[in-house]
Amino acid sequence: MKIRQTIIVSVVGAMTLMGGMAAADILRIGVEGAYPPFSQKEADGTLSGFDIDIALALCEQMNRECELVEQEWDGMIPALVAKKYDAIVASMSITEDRKKRVDFSEKYYFTPSRFIAKEGATFALTPEGTKGLKIGVLRGTTLQCHVEKTFPGADLRLYNTQEDVFADLVTGRLDMQLNNTLGALDGFLNTDQGKGFAFFGGDVDDPDCLGDGTGIAVRKGDPLAGELTAAIEAIRADGTYATINNKYFDVDIYGK
Amino acid sequence: MEPERTFFEYLQSFSEAKSPIDFVLIYDNLGRFFDGALVTLQLTFLALLVGGLIAVPLAIARAYRKLFFSPVIRVYTYVFCGTPLLVQVYLFYFGLGQFKAVQESFLWDPILSSPWWCVVIAFTLNTAAYTTEFMRGAIETTPHGEVEAAKASGMSALTRMRLVILPNAFRRSLPAYSNEVIFTLHGSVIASTVTLQDLLGVGRWLNGRYYLAYEGFLTAMIFYMAIVLLITVALRLAEKRLLGHLRPRETSSSAAARVAA
């Protein structure tokens, strides 16, 4: 089967182009593209990463023609609601707040989140200890919710892409950053850029904000959620998931 | 009889009754929008003030074609008027931060490490470039008679500049300057791309925090409109006062013509 990969960089582009191209049988999937190793853009402009491979595998499993639509993170849910695409495969955690706007499939992976700071940093992860500390997170993530709720005195800085967060951590504009541990390892700590930085503190425990696992978001009431859950179970069972998983990670990131 | 409802209760029931816009969230976060408006106004007017001060000597040097200075200033204005403001801000924020030498210099902390200062510097240089060019135009078009009259009454070059040329050039560039003020305000949204919580930044924060599509943007838009309205009214009053002598005068015949029409 044919899998079309359309890359539309800007929101505006997505809005104008997709409106006309929408055909009923093509499943349009919203993806990000700046969140390695889950999604990233190669030098030639194509998308790659765990989320991308999973999305394509699910399409194959469901026997649907798919189209990937690139969207910046903070417009992800609004664009889904506005029918720019039909599902989001972009490492989106299933949270109560988001469930007010969209429905989710069952999780397709679960990884904890942790802070990263300079090696040997000695902050206290308490509301007092983080007062005035410059903490960077991606705008519109569960981590924004966590830092705002738990450390209201911190100087929280919101970024458009995770890559910008890492860049500012390196320049020293940030004291700490918070994101998914696997994304942090492959996207930063295990790269040259991440030398001299390390995880700080343990896994963040905040189910209210962080939710329980990463799922595929669809519009409210869309039966697609059930179909996607079935497809996730199927690729878990037939080994496709494991193949993709092992391409990027040493451990099974599906979680318990 | 129905009991009196407070404004908030009314808002709540309206928002829950399938309103496409969640007014309660906007109402709850209005304080943040006012903070954001303050950041936007600070950035805009600090840049305009400093940029304006820089522009005056540069415009004079350009208008009188000072050797060496004039071409250098022309290159500066060409670069800053000819490239997008977003690129300039990125260059100061992300670009300069890449160099170890910059990170270790005295400029890093507290100036270049702060998004606020990076944005102020970029905005200032940008608005100074535009202001230089239209002020140069205004100085160059000073009516020759005014300069001659000033010379004839024995004014020195400096006094002529101070009392005749500059005040009139300022007056004549006021309409162009009104545009520049509004453009700078519009351009200030770029601050939100480098983590500043300006008006648009707060709007994006609200959208991001509650996964909304337009509540944040809509509220920011209303704030921008209110600010632009205030600026426009203020500048219109200034124009009326300072450029009064250029307005068509109300005469008895023109009033009569209007009545007849």
Side-chain angles (χ1 to χ4, degrees):
Chain A
M1 75 171 261
K2 199 176 81 184
I3 291 165
R4 274 206 287 160
Q5 186 165 313
T6 303
I7 291 161
I8 289 152
V9 178
S10 68
V11 187
V12 180
M15 286 176 173
T16 48
L17 282 172
M18 297 318 296
M21 281 163 62
D25 54 334
I26 295 181
L27 185 61
R28 291 161 308 157
I29 297 183
V31 296
E32 208 222 6
Y35 197 62
F38 294 96
S39 67
Q40 59 204 328
K41 214 182 292 173
E42 298 300 324
D44 63 359
T46 56
L47 289 161
S48 69
F50 180 79
D51 281 338
I52 310 296
D53 288 355
I54 288 288
L56 299 180
L58 291 175
C59 293
E60 187 131 12
Q61 177 63 40
M62 295 190 298
N63 214 3
R64 294 279 297 265
E65 191 176 338
C66 281
E67 186 161 49
L68 298 182
V69 182
E70 202 180 324
Q71 165 69 47
E72 214 172 62
W73 178 256
D74 67 354
M76 215 82 201
I77 288 183
L80 173 70
V81 174
K83 302 192 178 174
K84 304 305 172 206
Y85 38 74
D86 310 301
I88 299 171
V89 185
S91 295
M92 186 174 276
S93 307
I94 307 164
T95 66
E96 290 306 315
D97 265 348
R98 286 192 179 121
K99 279 191 212 160
K100 287 178 198 154
R101 313 260 164 213
V102 293
D103 281 352
F104 280 97
S105 72
E106 291 299 315
K107 69 157 185 177
Y108 67 96
Y109 78 87
F110 177 79
T111 53
S113 291
R114 261 194 228 183
F115 284 97
I116 291 180
K118 272 225 168 67
E119 268 171 13
T122 53
F123 311 123
L125 282 180
T126 60
E128 290 76 39
T130 53
K131 205 164 261 171
L133 275 190
K134 296 184 277 281
I135 302 180
V137 298
L138 190 59
R139 192 198 310 274
T141 55
T142 57
L143 308 165
Q144 178 185 342
C145 167
H146 173 68
V147 176
E148 275 176 5
K149 197 184 78 178
T150 322
F151 310 116
D155 178 3
L156 177 65
R157 306 226 175 145
L158 304 173
Y159 288 81
N160 290 353
T161 68
Q162 185 61 40
E163 286 159 355
D164 288 347
V165 186
F166 290 140
D168 265 4
L169 189 65
V170 171
T171 60
R173 282 202 182 101
L174 293 173
D175 296 311
M176 281 199 287
Q177 76 94 36
L178 177 61
N179 82 324
N180 168 313
T181 48
L182 283 171
L185 278 173
D186 287 29
F188 183 65
L189 287 178
N190 291 346
T191 68
D192 281 349
Q193 211 193 4
K195 283 209 178 86
F197 292 90
F199 282 123
F200 184 77
D203 292 347
V204 172
D205 179 30
D206 182 359
D208 274 357
C209 274
L210 266 49
D212 30 29
T214 299
I216 299 172
V218 298
R219 279 182 292 278
K220 277 238 166 267
D222 192 333
L224 193 58
E227 294 168 36
L228 284 164
T229 299
I232 293 169
E233 278 163 13
I235 63 167
R236 278 291 293 173
D238 73 6
T240 314
Y241 185 98
T243 312
I244 296 171
N245 184 92
N246 298 343
K247 195 168 138 194
Y248 296 97
F249 309 107
D250 302 332
V251 291
D252 182 4
I253 67 166
Y254 186 77
K256 283 169 277 193
Chain B
M1 226 177 93
E2 203 183 327
E4 278 287 312
R5 288 194 302 179
T6 64
F7 175 67
F8 185 74
E9 280 164 347
Y10 171 74
L11 211 61
Q12 217 160 10
S13 67
F14 183 73
S15 285
E16 275 161 15
K18 291 269 175 220
S19 149
I21 297 167
D22 194 336
F23 288 103
V24 173
L25 266 183
I26 296 175
Y27 183 83
D28 282 347
N29 291 292
L30 268 186
R32 277 177 183 266
F33 279 97
F34 279 104
D35 292 344
L38 197 65
V39 173
T40 293
L41 289 174
Q42 278 173 347
L43 290 172
T44 308
F45 285 100
L46 191 63
L48 284 169
L49 182 76
V50 181
L53 290 176
I54 295 173
V56 175
L58 296 189
I60 295 171
R62 283 274 289 137
Y64 291 95
R65 306 214 152 65
K66 290 287 172 220
L67 226 60
F68 177 70
F69 286 111
S70 185
V72 171
I73 298 165
R74 179 72 189 117
V75 169
Y76 155 69
T77 58
Y78 186 77
V79 168
F80 276 85
C81 298
T83 56
L85 182 57
L86 180 67
V87 177
Q88 293 161 21
V89 169
Y90 275 11
L91 218 56
F92 279 100
Y93 188 79
F94 290 115
L96 284 181
Q98 294 304 307
F99 299 103
K100 266 273 171 297
V102 174
Q103 285 179 40
E104 281 155 10
S105 78
F106 68 100
L107 281 174
W108 181 250
D109 203 23
I111 309 281
L112 288 176
S113 68
S114 125
W116 200 83
W117 280 111
C118 284
V119 166
V120 167
I121 292 169
F123 285 8
T124 303
L125 291 176
N126 185 273
T127 178
Y130 280 100
T131 313
T132 299
E133 285 305 320
F134 66 69
M135 221 181 261
R136 169 189 66 92
I139 293 173
E140 281 175 352
T141 52
T142 302
H144 201 61
E146 288 182 16
V147 182
E148 249 170 29
K151 276 184 188 163
S153 46
M155 289 186 187
S156 69
L158 206 67
T159 317
R160 280 205 304 275
M161 183 58 73
R162 192 166 58 86
L163 294 181
V164 179
I165 300 174
L166 278 186
N168 286 331
F170 288 158
R171 274 181 210 166
R172 265 175 287 119
S173 53
L174 200 57
Y177 193 65
S178 308
N179 286 338
E180 179 57 22
V181 172
I182 303 219
F183 285 149
T184 307
L185 177 77
H186 288 176
S188 74
V189 297
I190 284 171
S192 72
T193 61
V194 291
T195 76
L196 280 184
Q197 291 289 72
D198 71 331
L199 253 180
L200 182 64
V202 173
R204 297 177 74 173
W205 167 85
L206 186 77
N207 285 353
R209 179 68 186 74
Y210 299 99
Y211 316 112
L212 308 166
Y214 38 67
E215 276 84 347
F217 294 145
L218 204 67
T219 316
M221 198 168 129
I222 291 166
F223 271 77
Y224 281 116
M225 273 175 5
I227 294 172
V228 168
L229 184 72
L230 290 178
I231 293 175
T232 320
V233 168
L235 286 168
R236 180 119 351 122
L237 286 177
E239 270 177 47
K240 221 174 193 171
R241 212 180 132 78
L242 296 173
L243 298 174
H245 61 289
L246 296 180
R247 250 183 313 148
R249 214 164 275 261
E250 187 92 345
T251 59
S252 52
S253 62
S254 69
R258 239 188 351 212
V259 169

